[in-house]
Amino acid sequence: MLDLKSVFSSDGQLSKQIPGFRARAQQLEMAQAIAETIGKNGLLVAEAGTGTGKTFAYLVPALLAGGKVIISTGTKTLQDQLFNRDIPSVRAALNVPVSVALLKGRANYICHYHLERALQDNYLTFVNREEINYLQKIERYAVHSKDGDKGGLNTVPENAAIWHHVTATRENCLGSECPNYKQCFLMEARKKALAADVVVVNHHLFFADVMLRDEGLTELLPACNTVIFDEAHQLPETASLFFGESISTGQLLDLVQDCKVEAVQTAQDCVILPDAIAATDKAVKDLRLTIQEENVRFSLFAIAKNKAFNQALDHLLEKLSELTEILESQAERSESLENCWRRASDHVDSIKRWRNDTDADAAGFVRWVEVYSKALQLNATPLSIAEIFNRQLNASPRAWIFTSATLSVKQNFDHYLGEMGLAAAQSASWDSPFNYSEQALLYVPTGLPEPHHKGYTEHVVKAALPVLKASRGRAFFLCTSLRAMQQVYDQLTGDFEVEGIEYPLLLQGNGSRSSMLKRFRELENAVLIGSHSFWEGIDVRGEALSLVIIDKLPFAPPDDPVLSARIEKINREGGNAFMEYQLPHAVISLKQGAGRLIRDETDRGVLMICDPRLTAKSYGRKIWQSLPPMKRTRQLTDVERFFTDENQSLVF
């Protein structure tokens, strides 16, 4: 067994290397459990409360055990943090000669081929001069950058439209046929990953590469001894995405754009190609226009009632098939034209499968449509990922570690283990070392109507206003829907104006998440109103965030086509979908939102959950008992006293 006690002790290797390191019993116990799991090629699901130090708890045994390790994170932010800060710190403290590589999806790397085409192609029209300026910056960066990671170019926003033209997708990457293959940043990153002892990826890349059999991780995994999933609560949703199949109007329009370029550059004498491209372009856009709503989902049954949608889909399939035939006749002219032909053919097959594949329904897939503001996507999603993922676990012997702050319901892991197919896994939970009974207060106001009430959000804001006054702003107002978020913002704007309250109001969407967080920290008295983007992965320490308000319990809408099908399946098989699936999902999501409040030993704050079901329903007790052990109250006066540092004994 590794001598982990000396590493994690108050005078051990970590404390000597890492400023502010504190010995925590929970961290040592977690590290020992992970070391044991690695030693026996086992499966471990490890929940560690905020402040446990789970990152060091898995890095130390992973680096000391030797062998090849893949660490997968839920976000690129954590991926960069691990590679640039945490792993170098632990490696230096342990003094181990471990090589480390960072590997992201291909859309994160500048593509020399597409960059050159964007620079040379007069056909491409950019939104404005700013985009052309960005293109010039990217050109200069590509010459001097060692890795071509777009995250290293801070002067071009991550969401700038130009990135789409200078990076490759899985579909338009030419692979080994590319004339710039030897200089490819992505291929170089993959070579480094193959040679490294520790490779840091993210969940999307892991599943995209492993499940879709792309190049990259499929070469890494056979030699891998240990796989560690951090932020593992995100895995079920990510895995469902990649175990299924989808085709979007965005992909089709990308194909159309690439075909336009090729028609001009390599197939000018093919006079029928431009008309076929234009016809496909119109057919794609017409399909989106058959649905008036935005940000909605439809089941196959519901969308079948939309005659205009079905006619438009038939027309799109016809025009795309015609384009495919023409592209096939021109494919020998260039690698790019051949790529366009293969993509078009694949898209035709995908649409046909989505339309006609009743076998998929029988095999446990649900077909549905998601509509965005400017795009539409056809999806086929598995109702269960357990069996599919379990096959990956059993492919060859290695250790698998799944860790997060939110995986259980009252330290019961049955839901997560069942959803992921981890029946053979050991599970363990370590509470946060923070003193929640002194640092935090859970407040559930009285007198609110049921969430389905028409004026519910209005009542929530009315109840929240005196709490915001007591906290002097410094709050996150987390909503379970974009509609509620906008309503909260509008109502608070009016209420603040009437009452002369000057706390700044920040609304999700008015800037990037990172820029909004920066501004929130700097203002020190702001109220940030957000939806799902701010429920997790956010770390605001200190007094700038002293209040988290959650409008209602985060139950997924039951009319969601995937959820609805899963509920039906569980109930049909004799289970209780609400208790086995919907409630655990809501608890894990709520724990994520609540986890934004206390991020440090010195933090203090109030968690306000406005949903009356927390106290009125029989399942409410299970929910609040899954939260950290805060003092609890239903009285506004207790909240006001908390913010004036009066310590009271409080209970429901």
Side-chain angles (χ1 to χ4, degrees):
M1 188 69 174
L2 302 172
D3 183 18
L4 296 175
K5 287 185 179 180
S6 64
V7 176
F8 287 96
S9 66
S10 56
D11 60 349
Q13 289 138 284
L14 291 179
S15 67
K16 292 173 183 176
Q17 173 70 28
I18 298 165
F21 177 82
R22 296 186 183 185
R24 303 177 180 93
Q26 299 95 324
Q27 187 179 49
L28 173 59
E29 290 175 12
M30 182 178 176
Q32 290 171 331
I34 290 173
E36 183 180 338
T37 303
I38 293 174
K40 64 182 182 183
N41 283 335
L43 291 171
L44 176 66
V45 176
E47 182 179 66
T50 307
T52 302
K54 61 182 171 64
T55 303
F56 290 173
Y58 66 69
L59 283 179
V60 169
L63 268 57
L64 288 176
K68 196 173 189 75
V69 180
I70 294 177
I71 301 174
S72 181
T73 72
T75 61
K76 285 185 287 186
T77 301
L78 179 55
Q79 196 181 359
D80 288 332
Q81 177 186 311
L82 277 167
F83 180 74
N84 294 316
R85 190 185 74 186
D86 295 337
I87 295 177
S89 296
V90 173
R91 180 173 55 185
L94 299 177
N95 192 27
V96 289
V98 173
S99 57
V100 187
L102 180 70
L103 186 59
K104 298 180 180 180
R106 58 163 49 84
N108 293 278
Y109 299 96
I110 294 170
C111 170
H112 290 294
Y113 178 76
H114 286 96
L115 173 60
E116 285 180 16
R117 291 171 75 80
L119 289 165
Q120 297 170 4
D121 194 352
N122 294 325
Y123 191 86
L124 283 175
T125 55
F126 300 110
V127 177
N128 49 43
R129 289 186 178 181
E130 189 177 42
E131 293 293 328
I132 297 174
N133 181 42
Y134 289 156
L135 178 61
Q136 293 168 346
K137 290 182 177 181
I138 293 169
E139 180 187 16
R140 290 192 293 270
Y141 175 70
V143 172
H144 302 292
S145 174
K146 292 182 179 179
D147 56 21
D149 186 342
K150 73 178 190 180
L153 184 57
N154 297 325
T155 54
V156 178
E158 188 177 356
N159 60 351
I162 188 60
W163 284 121
H164 188 66
H165 297 286
V166 299
T167 56
T169 65
R170 181 185 306 279
E171 294 170 342
N172 67 18
C173 174
L174 300 181
S176 58
E177 300 298 318
C178 179
N180 303 91
Y181 185 74
K182 291 183 179 179
Q183 295 84 40
C184 179
F185 286 124
L186 175 61
M187 289 302 115
E188 186 60 29
R190 286 176 169 172
K191 287 177 188 175
K192 290 179 179 178
L194 282 169
D197 300 309
V198 178
V199 185
V200 184
V201 302
N202 60 61
H203 298 341
H204 279 80
L205 175 63
F206 184 92
F207 284 105
D209 273 34
V210 175
M211 308 314 168
L212 298 180
R213 293 290 179 258
D214 196 4
E215 300 172 31
L217 286 179
T218 45
E219 297 173 284
L220 290 174
L221 266 179
C224 173
N225 303 94
T226 303
V227 177
I228 300 172
F229 291 108
D230 200 342
E231 298 177 310
H233 62 280
Q234 297 180 9
L235 288 178
E237 184 175 347
T238 307
S240 292
L241 175 69
F242 287 105
F243 287 149
E245 185 177 7
S246 65
I247 175 71
S248 72
T249 55
Q251 288 173 280
L252 294 168
L253 291 176
D254 284 346
L255 170 66
V256 164
Q257 180 62 34
D258 290 344
C259 288
K260 286 179 181 178
V261 174
E262 291 306 315
V264 171
Q265 291 196 346
T266 58
Q268 285 186 336
D269 58 343
C270 183
V271 293
I272 59 174
L273 182 55
D275 288 343
I277 295 170
T280 304
D281 186 27
K282 184 177 185 303
V284 174
K285 292 171 180 174
D286 286 346
L287 178 67
R288 172 61 189 88
L289 293 174
T290 61
I291 300 175
Q292 299 299 316
E293 298 92 337
E294 295 182 4
N295 300 312
V296 293
R297 294 178 168 189
F298 294 99
S299 66
L300 185 65
F301 176 77
I303 203 69
K305 298 178 180 179
N306 185 331
K307 291 183 179 179
F309 171 86
N310 289 293
Q311 290 172 354
L313 189 59
D314 283 339
H315 184 65
L316 169 59
L317 201 51
E318 177 187 338
K319 295 304 173 185
L320 184 59
S321 297
E322 291 173 2
L323 175 61
T324 303
E325 289 181 13
I326 298 171
L327 288 171
E328 183 178 10
S329 71
Q330 305 296 311
E332 292 183 356
R333 288 176 177 244
S334 71
E335 294 90 348
S336 295
L337 262 177
E338 183 178 358
N339 175 266
C340 288
W341 164 53
R342 294 191 185 282
R343 287 161 61 193
S345 179
D346 288 344
H347 292 337
V348 168
D349 291 342
S350 292
I351 295 172
K352 286 181 177 178
R353 276 195 300 274
W354 188 87
R355 289 212 61 184
N356 307 316
D357 196 356
T358 54
D359 289 341
D361 299 340
F365 281 73
V366 57
R367 288 178 285 163
W368 54 288
V369 177
E370 185 156 20
V371 184
Y372 307 97
S373 58
K374 295 181 180 179
L376 176 154
Q377 184 163 295
L378 311 178
N379 303 285
T381 304
L383 294 180
S384 172
I385 63 167
E387 184 178 341
I388 309 172
F389 187 67
N390 194 260
R391 289 200 292 270
Q392 306 301 322
L393 298 177
N394 297 324
S396 58
R398 64 174 60 91
W400 297 80
I401 314 293
F402 302 77
T403 185
S404 168
T406 55
L407 294 172
S408 74
V409 178
K410 286 182 61 180
Q411 298 190 343
N412 183 310
F413 292 86
D414 288 351
H415 168 71
Y416 187 79
L417 297 178
E419 194 170 21
M420 291 296 295
L422 302 175
Q426 289 185 298
S427 59
S429 180
W430 291 273
D431 292 332
S432 168
F434 297 156
N435 187 356
Y436 278 95
S437 63
E438 296 297 325
Q439 291 179 251
L441 174 66
L442 171 60
Y443 170 50
V444 181
T446 59
L448 288 177
E450 288 288 308
H452 59 74
H453 188 278
K454 186 177 180 181
Y456 178 74
T457 301
E458 182 180 346
H459 286 277
V460 165
V461 175
K462 186 177 180 181
L465 193 60
V467 183
L468 288 166
K469 291 180 183 177
S471 69
R472 305 185 304 282
R474 305 182 299 159
F476 275 7
F477 205 131
L478 302 179
C479 302
T480 51
S481 71
L482 294 173
R483 182 178 179 183
M485 179 187 80
Q486 186 64 51
Q487 191 175 343
V488 167
Y489 176 77
D490 293 341
Q491 191 171 333
L492 276 180
T493 300
D495 290 347
F496 277 19
E497 186 175 343
V498 168
E499 302 205 19
I501 299 173
E502 297 184 350
Y503 308 138
L505 288 174
L506 307 179
L507 178 66
Q508 174 185 316
N510 293 342
S512 67
R513 188 170 80 158
S514 57
S515 65
M516 290 187 70
L517 283 172
K518 184 174 183 290
R519 192 169 173 221
F520 179 84
R521 292 186 181 101
E522 291 171 348
L523 288 167
E524 296 186 336
N525 68 339
V527 179
L528 191 156
I529 304 159
S531 186
H532 299 291
S533 293
F534 288 90
W535 279 71
E536 60 179 277
I538 303 293
D539 191 5
V540 179
R541 303 185 183 207
E543 294 184 357
L545 179 57
S546 298
L547 170 65
V548 171
I549 302 171
I550 294 176
D551 69 337
K552 61 182 176 181
L553 298 176
F555 286 105
D559 59 349
D560 177 275
V562 179
L563 176 61
S564 178
R566 284 177 175 159
I567 290 172
E568 183 182 342
K569 179 178 184 290
I570 293 169
N571 290 337
R572 187 173 62 245
E573 293 172 352
N576 182 328
F578 180 78
M579 296 303 293
E580 295 173 23
Y581 190 85
Q582 292 168 274
L583 182 61
H585 262 267
V587 170
I588 289 171
S589 182
L590 182 67
K591 287 167 69 175
Q592 279 293 329
R596 300 315 100 211
L597 183 63
I598 303 299
R599 308 297 300 175
D600 197 88
E601 287 91 343
T602 59
D603 281 358
R604 293 182 79 253
V606 169
L607 172 64
M608 178 180 180
I609 302 178
C610 301
D611 197 321
R613 292 175 294 183
L614 196 63
T615 56
K617 300 295 184 182
S618 58
Y619 57 79
R621 185 179 184 87
K622 179 177 284 192
I623 295 176
W624 61 256
Q625 284 183 339
S626 296
L627 296 172
M630 310 173 185
K631 290 178 180 177
R632 304 182 298 276
T633 187
R634 306 207 67 190
Q635 304 303 317
L636 176 61
T637 52
D638 292 330
V639 175
E640 293 169 336
R641 278 199 296 268
F642 181 91
F643 281 118
T644 55
D645 288 328
E646 291 186 30
N647 191 18
Q648 301 292 322
S649 178
L650 309 166
V651 294
F652 274 140

